[in-house]
Amino acid sequence: MITPKYKIRKIKRQRVRSSIKATLRGTPERPRLIMVRTNKYLYTQVIDDASHQVLLSASTLEKELKGKLKSAKNKEAAKLLGETIAERMKEKKIAAVVFDRNVYAYAGRIKIFTDAAREKGIRF
């Protein structure tokens, strides 16, 4: 039987995701910042892998961000999300992170997100 293309693509993404997760680790001093994008929203979390805890999170699904945006998935949303997570990280006194872009290319919304966080003083 021939395997459909969408299943092959899903298996490849899972393989890449597991290899990335094997190499990237967040510590209490330098936690991991993970970015997830869907067709509707953008999500981000700051994770301490040593204690397996989510320290911070933000998404374009939140009411305060959704009210400021025309669309919750475009480049403007990515920039606002980067600024928001950077402000929250400063409140928790987190200055440096390890960036986990997941399986996404470092372009478009992902690049704009990181540039906005860097402008606010977060080191990657």
Side-chain angles (χ1 to χ4, degrees):
M1 184 172 168
I2 299 172
T3 308
K5 279 188 179 181
Y6 73 93
K7 286 187 180 180
I8 293 170
R9 220 175 282 130
K10 185 176 180 181
I11 291 167
K12 282 182 183 179
R13 280 181 161 235
Q14 286 173 344
R15 195 176 310 132
V16 169
R17 214 176 254 131
S18 65
S19 70
I20 290 170
K21 197 165 181 185
T23 58
L24 290 178
R25 287 284 173 225
T27 62
E29 299 83 32
R30 195 173 166 127
R32 181 168 53 109
L33 174 68
I34 187 165
M35 177 77 178
V36 178
R37 70 170 207 229
T38 64
N39 288 335
K40 283 189 170 187
Y41 302 106
L42 301 170
Y43 305 91
T44 183
Q45 290 182 333
V46 178
I47 301 170
D48 177 12
D49 289 317
S51 63
H52 304 289
Q53 286 186 332
V54 175
L55 305 175
L56 296 169
S57 67
S59 73
T60 54
L61 188 60
E62 297 173 1
K63 286 184 181 180
E64 62 182 47
L65 293 179
K66 218 174 186 183
K68 297 177 185 177
L69 299 170
K70 199 182 301 182
S71 173
K73 60 183 177 179
N74 60 9
K75 292 179 181 181
E76 295 168 8
K79 184 173 182 170
L80 186 62
L81 186 64
E83 293 170 355
T84 303
I85 196 73
E87 290 169 4
R88 291 180 185 176
M89 285 168 45
K90 281 186 177 182
E91 289 173 6
K92 290 266 191 168
K93 295 183 175 61
I94 300 171
V97 292
V98 176
F99 185 58
D100 183 0
R101 61 183 169 81
N102 224 334
V103 294
Y104 313 119
Y106 187 74
R109 293 179 283 175
I110 304 297
K111 186 173 187 325
I112 289 171
F113 169 79
T114 56
D115 290 342
R118 280 190 181 114
E119 286 174 9
K120 291 287 185 175
I122 303 301
R123 287 178 293 138
F124 288 88

